[in-house]
Amino acid sequence: MSFSRVLIANRGEIARRIQRSCRKLGLESVAIFSEADRDAPFVAEADHAVCIGPAAAARSYLNIDAILEAARATGAGAIHPGYGFLSENAEFSARVEAAGLVFVGPSPQAISRMGSKIEAKAAAEAAGVPVLPGYRGADQSDDRLLKEAQALGVPFLVKASAGGGGRGMRLVTSLGAAGEAIAAARAEAKSVFGDPAVFLERYAPRARHVEVQVLGDANGYVLHLGDRDCSLQRNHQKLIEEAPAPDIPDALRSAMYDAAVRLARGIGYRSAGTVEYLYDPVRAEFYFLEMNTRLQVEHPVTEAVTGIDLVEWQLRIARGEALGFAQGDVSFDGHAIEVRLAAENPAENFRPETGTITLWAPPRTVRLDSGVEEGSVVGHHYDSMLAKLIVHAPDRAQAIRRTVEALDAFAVGGVGVNLAYQRALLTHPDFASLRHHTAALPEMFPGGWTAPVPDDQTRALAALALHLHLAPAPDTPWQSLGAWRVTSNAGRTGAACYWSDDDAPIRVAGQRARLEVILPDGTRIDVEDARLTAQRLTGRTRCRPFTRQGHVLRSGDRWQIYLSTPDGTMMVPLRTLEDQHLQRAFGAAGGADTLSAPMPGAVVEIRVTPGDRVSKGETLVVLEAMKLLQSLPAPVAGVVAEIYCGSGDTVAGGAPLVRIDPEDKI
């Protein structure tokens, strides 16, 4: 079982994370990459790298033959699957072992058994782990499922047996809708997982999602490394994770630990794994959900509170080493929070964002597991998660505060990232007071979340930052005088104008020692000794000093100023006088009557043909980007004049898709 070179069958931040532990143990790493990831950081940082196919995951990161060939060609003795992709694929694990390689993870038998939610719940029951009432039988006929639904009562969930991540899942609140929900869940399960089997389970409203980290070696010794709370979720995808899970009675917490260890021991589990529960605070009960037979995205919070490197121990166990510590040796220190940073726009139904990262300025004082850096290209082929921010503090309140501070110090340009949304979750009173649960988002933001907008002071300071950027500090007294001396001696004040997206000008007048910012409504802000150095904007207003993080970038036909504010980092777009002239000369691209692709993607479906009459907002095209389907609406009402794409086409961001003759011009 000895090996010195590990192939990492994954990409992005988790590939870099595994590389770190490989270096720690003196192991060489092999990166596999698709053509789309050729210039990614995880490729450059590996000891060896092999291109295994085109961008499409099915032809690269899910191509078992290509991965095994890469391992053979590079002399890798082991394969670490990371998470996602093939990490819980029993066939992949079996083929790795059949090729004479070491799979860094549990046995194929354990993966297969826990991969079926029906079998996993049976194993949990056998180990004495509480499960939610429901139906998990082999009879999958409509009659039997509807009969069991009647007996179970609403609300209940229909769930795919082979599912995960919320796919193949439907909530039923009315028995009259049960048949339709079962059919929809079954169809999605068949499409996504290749297995149409479903089961029924009582729905526990306002429950929290709590999980226990286990670690087992090849000798059958299993222990736990505490618990995590992952209750803040969107569409069953976790957003924020923390360790330990707060406000759980000690006796119940111990019962969760014992049940998780019993289950792992009962199936002969080795490597790192996670037993997931629903915790009902009202009834003070917990129920088995599933077991993840892989490293979890949220594993860093457990590492933070235990000081144990989980990836290191995965590798050690795969080499045949026994756990070098006992349960009594595991101690827990403080509280940790992890925030997932994704390229998406939460204010627009979490629309995926793509493009080139022109600014990547993370805080330096906390852990960041990142798959990108400045200059990285974010495409539409893979999951939108870019990085994870991990913060450790003595207690939960301080952990929340430090995480917010870290988000406030984080600036990203070129691609939209959910920094402000995650900040809103962390600062919401429901999260602080533990009123949150797995379905809490509609309660926390009843009308949907709205992104904060820059206030007048922020817009003024953004204009000031751009002004200083375009007129840097002089090197000589002659440069410091410049044109200002003429206007000053003539009794006039030199000024420059900057325009925001609403075409309202912001004027900056005066000299560096004393500048005046005049907002469109006439409000004046006096600033003394203004400086923009090392991405910090400093000065004094009303004799009070201020300092803001400030990044100034050029993007297309405008400037983007990223400025830290009490509500987090905000971007203020501004144009100079030259930009205004150019925009007027050349006009805006595109037209209000044309539907364009908001991002690169693949055309899945075209729902109209030329000559069709459509309403404004009606779906014309379905686009797939970052594993999500985007329904693209008609920009205006009218008649479809031209269609510029076909089903299956790959289109660039901004590409015209459908042109409409507007109703008011027909």
Side-chain angles (χ1 to χ4, degrees):
M1 299 178 71
S2 176
F3 52 84
S4 59
R5 188 172 294 171
V6 180
L7 183 144
I8 302 168
N10 220 296
R11 63 179 299 279
E13 59 88 16
I14 187 56
R16 297 177 87 183
R17 166 69 188 90
I18 296 168
Q19 287 169 0
R20 291 202 300 272
S21 287
C22 284
R23 287 192 291 270
K24 184 177 179 180
L25 293 174
L27 300 171
E28 294 183 7
S29 63
V30 178
I32 59 169
F33 62 94
S34 72
E35 292 171 358
D37 280 336
R38 187 176 298 276
D39 298 321
F42 78 92
V43 177
E45 294 169 2
D47 297 300
H48 310 273
V50 179
C51 182
I52 59 168
R59 300 175 62 190
S60 53
Y61 297 107
L62 296 174
N63 188 335
I64 296 176
D65 291 334
I67 294 171
L68 293 177
E69 174 57 27
R72 185 201 62 77
T74 57
I79 294 181
H80 195 307
Y83 44 69
F85 292 131
L86 295 166
S87 61
E88 293 183 283
N89 187 303
E91 178 192 354
F92 179 54
S93 172
R95 289 191 59 185
V96 169
E97 293 186 355
L101 306 174
V102 176
F103 182 77
V104 183
S107 68
Q109 294 77 20
I111 294 175
S112 179
R113 191 171 184 187
M114 293 296 102
S116 165
K117 302 298 185 290
I118 292 175
E119 287 193 38
K121 288 181 183 295
E125 284 185 307
V129 183
V131 298
L132 282 164
Y135 172 71
R136 297 181 295 276
D139 185 349
Q140 291 284 301
S141 67
D142 288 346
D143 287 346
R144 181 61 185 271
L145 289 169
L146 288 171
K147 189 175 183 180
E148 294 293 340
Q150 185 78 31
L152 185 59
V154 293
F156 69 88
L157 289 169
V158 187
K159 302 173 76 171
S161 176
R167 305 302 297 271
M169 183 186 299
R170 297 292 187 277
L171 173 63
V172 179
T173 57
S174 168
L175 286 174
E180 182 180 346
I182 290 169
R186 181 185 282 145
E188 187 174 12
K190 175 66 176 177
S191 172
V192 177
F193 307 110
D195 181 357
V198 298
F199 64 96
L200 311 182
E201 186 173 79
R202 189 181 77 195
Y203 177 63
R206 309 192 69 81
R208 284 167 49 195
H209 186 125
V210 177
E211 57 191 34
V212 175
Q213 178 72 61
V214 296
L215 199 59
D217 63 22
N219 300 322
Y221 183 64
V222 180
L223 50 73
H224 71 81
L225 299 179
D227 53 71
R228 303 183 284 257
D229 188 300
C230 311
S231 298
L232 277 181
Q233 303 177 7
R234 183 182 72 86
N235 293 339
H236 307 284
Q237 295 289 327
K238 300 165 187 172
L239 295 169
I240 294 174
E241 301 100 352
E242 56 183 318
D247 196 30
I248 294 180
D250 291 343
L252 197 69
R253 196 186 301 271
S254 295
M256 287 181 175
Y257 294 163
D258 293 343
V261 170
R262 282 200 310 273
L263 175 58
R265 189 179 293 129
I267 63 172
Y269 195 84
R270 68 165 189 260
S271 193
T274 302
V275 178
E276 302 196 351
Y277 301 114
L278 273 182
Y279 166 54
D280 186 340
V282 176
R283 299 187 181 190
E285 295 175 345
F286 68 93
Y287 312 99
F288 174 79
L289 268 180
E290 62 181 343
M291 183 175 187
N292 288 118
T293 54
R294 56 168 169 81
L295 192 69
Q296 291 281 85
V297 176
E298 57 270 23
H299 76 275
V301 293
T302 293
E303 293 180 327
V305 298
T306 63
I308 294 171
D309 184 328
L310 278 167
V311 177
E312 175 189 349
W313 275 104
Q314 280 190 302
L315 294 165
R316 288 182 178 276
I317 291 167
R319 291 196 304 198
E321 295 184 32
L323 284 173
F325 52 93
Q327 187 67 70
D329 299 323
V330 180
S331 59
F332 304 98
D333 173 41
H335 199 91
I337 291 177
E338 175 182 288
V339 174
R340 300 188 187 194
L341 305 182
E344 61 188 17
N345 186 341
E348 296 187 17
N349 198 28
F350 297 88
R351 185 192 70 198
E353 295 275 339
T354 58
T356 299
I357 296 177
T358 55
L359 171 66
W360 186 257
R364 304 293 183 187
T365 56
V366 298
R367 174 176 170 178
L368 181 74
D369 285 9
S370 172
V372 297
E373 56 191 19
E374 197 165 300
S376 292
V377 176
V378 179
H380 66 279
H381 302 287
Y382 313 115
D383 187 86
S384 62
M385 190 178 77
L386 304 180
K388 304 178 307 193
L389 190 73
I390 303 100
V391 175
H392 185 225
D395 56 46
R396 187 173 189 262
Q398 292 186 68
I400 293 174
R401 177 176 56 79
R402 291 183 185 179
T403 306
V404 172
E405 290 173 353
L407 289 175
D408 287 350
F410 208 141
V412 182
V415 176
V417 178
N418 63 340
L419 289 165
Y421 181 71
Q422 295 286 47
R423 186 188 194 279
L425 293 177
L426 287 164
T427 57
H428 197 284
D430 283 3
F431 183 71
S433 60
L434 298 172
R435 293 195 300 270
H436 66 293
H437 51 90
T438 56
L441 294 186
E443 296 178 9
M444 296 169 72
F445 305 108
W449 179 75
T450 302
V453 296
D455 59 16
D456 285 347
Q457 185 179 32
T458 298
R459 293 170 63 221
L461 292 179
L464 178 65
L466 178 57
H467 188 78
L468 295 172
H469 176 81
L470 295 175
D475 296 323
T476 70
W478 304 107
Q479 289 174 305
S480 67
L481 293 174
W484 299 108
R485 63 181 176 180
V486 177
T487 56
S488 180
N489 289 340
R492 298 189 302 273
T493 303
C497 283
Y498 305 98
W499 283 263
S500 57
D501 280 344
D502 59 4
D503 277 336
I506 302 173
R507 298 177 67 241
V508 181
Q511 300 184 38
R512 182 174 298 275
R514 177 181 285 276
L515 289 167
E516 184 181 47
V517 184
I518 304 106
L519 290 164
D521 64 358
T523 301
R524 297 171 180 266
I525 300 176
D526 293 321
V527 184
E528 298 176 343
D529 296 326
R531 296 287 186 275
L532 181 66
T533 55
Q535 286 77 52
R536 304 295 297 183
L537 176 66
T538 59
R540 294 196 310 276
T541 58
R542 296 177 181 176
C543 298
R544 292 184 178 181
F546 68 85
T547 178
R548 299 281 188 95
Q549 177 179 273
H551 300 267
V552 180
L553 299 178
R554 183 68 180 176
S555 178
D557 64 348
R558 69 197 60 207
W559 294 90
Q560 293 180 337
I561 297 83
Y562 294 84
L563 205 66
S564 60
T565 78
D567 293 319
T569 297
M570 292 189 184
M571 190 275 284
V572 180
L574 292 173
R575 296 188 302 274
T576 63
L577 181 61
E578 293 83 358
D579 297 330
Q580 286 287 90
H581 286 317
L582 287 172
Q583 187 178 61
R584 289 168 185 153
F586 294 104
D593 60 350
T594 300
L595 171 66
S596 300
M599 70 205 76
V603 176
V604 175
E605 183 183 0
I606 301 173
R607 296 188 177 178
V608 290
T609 57
D612 288 352
R613 186 174 292 275
V614 297
S615 303
K616 182 178 180 180
E618 179 181 340
T619 297
L620 305 184
V621 176
V622 178
L623 191 73
E624 182 176 15
M626 289 184 172
K627 302 196 300 186
L628 296 174
L629 296 180
Q630 306 291 317
S631 297
L632 306 184
V636 295
V639 174
V640 175
E642 293 182 89
I643 298 176
Y644 305 115
C645 61
S647 182
D649 287 356
T650 298
V651 296
L657 303 177
V658 179
R659 184 174 68 81
I660 299 171
D661 285 335
E663 196 171 66
D664 57 0
K665 295 181 181 180
I666 297 174

